[in-house]
Amino acid sequence: MREVVLCADEEALRNPSMIGLDGESLDSQEWLLPLSNAHEAREYLRDGEADEVWVASSDEVDPINLAAALKRERREMRVCLVAWQGSGSLMSRANAAGIDEVIGYREMAQRYALMKGRHRTVNPRRRTPATALAEKAALAARERPEGARHSVPVPVPDPLPRSAPIAEVPDEEPAVVDESPAHDAGSGAGGHSASIDAPVKRGYALCVVSASGGTGKSTVAALSALIASGHGYRTAIIDADLQFGDIASMFGEAGTIPVDKAIADPTLLTAAHANGPVVVSSLERMEQSEIYLPQVPGLIDWARERFDVVVVNTGSFWSESHVQMIEVCTNTLFLMDQRPTSVKAVRKALELCARCGVAAHPFLFAVNRCTRKSLLSSIDISCALDGVPVVELKEGGSSVAELMSAGLAMRLIEEHNDLCVSLNDFLGDVIPAALNNGVPKPAPIPELQTRAKGKSKRKSSRRKGRAACL
């Protein structure tokens, strides 16, 4: 009898890092039975073959539906639904289905480490669904009267080579899965560590959102990643606009990692060697967006353990995944432009966040394409949003669209573009304060700082001239 059954899809069982169990051999744990087929899981668990089940995914059905079915068939068994982010709607559905608990992947990893420490011996047999069902039949045969037993022996697979001994883990000190940055000293790019340690730090994640299209959100996200990388931070940018995202084209396509591959194997991000930020691009087939979008918050959370700064570009169409991405990020930048409709749309988005219970304290606000003759200033928008601070991002001119579409985003910084100057000043104050991990505030990018000082002197002289005229 196995104490715990882990339900996960076949790909996740082959690569446990996808479910937060980096470097683990699931088949070698005598207390654990991993199953990918929902029908086999229900058959195995129907007769009381485990005390607890962790449902992360399956090859056939949605995990919450499988968890609900298992709980309905065995009320006394503890059923835990594993999710990257426990949203309000998911918690409500789980509660209505009678599921005992909704846990995150990190909490599942902690429980796994505790169980692994209690069972220090390794079962040499490979645990597969066929093996488990065969052993179940053999156990039932032994429990039947002597005359009713089958005469045909149940086949048992040959034992696999014994794996390395498990490190001693005290029962009273549960450990957590090693989630320290993959680029730290002593670990190769994309390598897994067999030891179980606490994470060293969590990076800063900025989610760039808007409530309407055409605000320049993708441009601001791409430039933010370049500026953060220029300050010396190890940076990744994730394009979560899975239908019409164009972040890859802004970086020239070369060396980008498609988001579906990044979700299947997140270690591709840490294995990438790039002079600038690591770029996770959108999907090639937009019809798959509904499949992968719910998994993006988990990818962001994973990247925060490995990178200093993670910038997330989002789509204009809001869904439950939008709220989950906001919850997992450090700050959310609401970007508006000079259209009054853009400001009204942001108000609606804020009302949605309030109804979903998302705290507003990590929200930042910026108005794009500001000039001396702009229709709306930061003060106007601040008044419309009940007095929240609003930052002005300067108009960068026609060269912004030309260079970004040509994959030459870095040239805007080299040319001291006004948009880059204002964005650099904004990020230089926000990122170091939010990291709060002993990293000193980096020196500003030289060409942007020089340009900003020159502009501030000219502005000061203009204001003095206006005051003299008045």
Side-chain angles (χ1 to χ4, degrees), residues 99-372:
I99 297 172
D100 296 282
E101 195 175 3
V102 178
I103 61 176
Y105 280 76
R106 183 176 301 176
E107 186 175 354
M108 181 188 71
Q110 293 174 348
R111 298 185 182 186
Y112 177 93
L114 180 60
M115 295 294 294
K116 182 177 177 180
R118 290 176 178 173
H119 298 77
R120 296 183 175 88
T121 59
V122 179
N123 188 350
R125 294 179 180 176
R126 178 176 176 82
R127 302 296 302 163
T128 64
T131 305
L133 293 175
E135 291 183 355
K136 177 182 175 181
L139 179 62
R142 287 196 297 270
E143 292 177 349
R144 286 195 297 269
E146 185 68 28
R149 293 183 182 179
H150 292 289
S151 58
V152 180
V154 178
V156 178
D158 296 332
L160 296 178
R162 184 177 298 273
S163 60
I166 300 176
E168 295 288 327
V169 181
D171 293 349
E172 66 275 7
E173 296 182 1
V176 297
V177 167
D178 180 13
E179 295 185 357
S180 57
H183 58 278
D184 287 348
S187 64
H192 300 303
S193 174
S195 61
I196 298 178
D197 301 306
V200 175
K201 66 174 183 177
R202 287 177 63 79
Y204 173 79
L206 178 66
C207 187
V208 184
V209 303
S210 68
S212 58
T215 60
K217 173 171 45 59
S218 298
T219 298
V220 168
L223 291 175
S224 297
L226 282 172
I227 291 173
S229 179
H231 280 300
Y233 294 119
R234 180 165 169 77
T235 306
I237 178 169
I238 300 175
D239 194 352
D241 184 357
L242 301 191
Q243 292 187 331
F244 300 102
D246 56 352
I247 291 293
S249 63
M250 296 180 180
F251 286 88
E253 300 285 350
T256 61
I257 305 170
V259 67
D260 52 340
K261 294 184 179 179
I263 291 173
D265 185 8
T267 58
L268 293 174
L269 276 67
T270 54
H273 299 283
N275 295 328
V278 175
V279 181
V280 178
S281 60
S282 183
L283 293 170
E284 294 182 359
R285 302 177 63 179
M286 58 182 296
E287 64 270 18
Q288 297 178 337
S289 60
E290 293 183 359
I291 300 175
Y292 289 100
L293 188 58
Q295 303 179 64
V296 172
L299 179 63
I300 298 171
D301 194 52
W302 185 93
R304 287 187 62 188
E305 303 288 354
R306 277 82 179 173
F307 292 87
D308 299 321
V309 176
V310 179
V311 180
V312 183
N313 177 55
T314 61
S316 299
F317 177 77
W318 281 58
S319 64
E320 183 178 355
S321 298
H322 253 71
V323 177
Q324 293 175 356
M325 285 186 282
I326 290 175
E327 290 177 335
V328 81
C329 287
T330 311
N331 284 132
T332 299
L333 175 62
F334 280 84
L335 188 65
M336 298 155 278
D337 59 15
Q338 297 298 319
R339 297 170 296 174
T341 54
S342 179
V343 182
K344 294 178 181 178
V346 167
R347 288 189 63 91
K348 290 184 177 180
L350 291 174
E351 292 170 359
L352 172 64
C353 292
R355 291 194 298 271
C356 294
V358 180
H361 68 272
F363 292 172
L364 306 171
F365 301 88
V367 54
N368 200 12
R369 305 188 180 104
C370 292
T371 65
R372 294 176 58 189

Side-chain angles (χ1 to χ4, degrees), residues 12-70:
L13 294 182
R14 286 198 305 265
N15 184 11
S17 62
M18 295 177 59
I19 53 176
L21 300 175
D22 296 16
E24 294 297 326
S25 177
L26 303 181
D27 292 332
S28 66
Q29 307 303 320
E30 66 173 2
W31 55 272
L32 179 72
L33 176 63
L35 294 173
S36 62
N37 186 284
H39 301 293
E40 291 180 350
R42 293 179 65 181
E43 180 180 352
Y44 184 82
L45 293 168
R46 188 174 290 119
D47 299 329
E49 290 297 324
D51 298 328
E52 186 171 345
V53 58
W54 304 336
V55 182
S57 60
S58 76
D59 290 333
E60 293 83 15
V61 298
D62 191 73
I64 191 171
N65 294 336
L66 175 57
L70 295 175

